[in-house]
Amino acid sequence: MTENEDAVVGLVLAAGGGRRLGGRPKALLTHRGRPLVEHAVGVLRAAGCTRVHVVLGARAGAVRERADLAGCVVVENPEWERGMGSSLRAGLGSLAGTRARAALVSLVDQPGIGAAAVRRVLAGYRDESSLVAACYAGVRGHPVLFGAAHWARIAEAATGDQGARAYLKAHRDALALVECGDVARPFDIDTAADLAHLE
């Protein structure tokens, strides 16, 4: 295990209720025969994240029952209905007091982003001041790596469905973008039509 692998914790945001999917939580959608949240954890592990925290919200009990999250730190966000910002805050909060020096944040509803893209972003980690994001044809996307020096201010700015968008925009001069368009497809599973992307 390298120092980078131990210092960077994978953080899967998987709390959404799938409002535009008729209330089907995205974490429980099936991809390659398993719940989507399990797939997302597997991607982070395959990329080199030995420690993974998972933020659950909608139907968290059912997700725990159906998905194999062994070895993960599972964080339940009671405020998940307030949007992704609350889940990001809960996830970053769960890292307090750990040895983590950075969080590599991925979204449960982007199965087209695999280990190759995550590895590229992970490779951008230097220290607690690191700020790294995947980009696709030059457009910033996920996953995103936040060094610990940024966590408190990101959590403060994370409201509604914005997550860290405003913080990253305000700190774009410090943000390293890593092109991943050749190894990943950054689509979201948001609507019934998007379910065609699942295998």
Side-chain angles (χ1 to χ4, degrees), residues 46-115:
C49 290
T50 55
R51 292 187 291 155
V52 178
H53 288 216
V54 180
V55 181
L56 301 180
R59 295 188 57 202
V63 177
R64 283 178 182 269
E65 282 177 23
R66 286 190 43 201
D68 180 1
L69 300 177
C72 295
V73 173
V74 178
V75 182
E76 289 198 28
N77 173 20
E79 299 184 339
W80 64 268
E81 289 181 272
R82 298 178 68 175
M84 187 171 63
S86 67
S87 290
L88 181 56
R89 284 197 306 276
L92 292 176
S94 75
L95 298 175
T98 70
R99 294 173 317 204
R101 300 184 67 207
L104 199 156
V105 180
S106 71
L107 305 182
V108 74
D109 66 348
Q110 294 191 320
I113 299 175

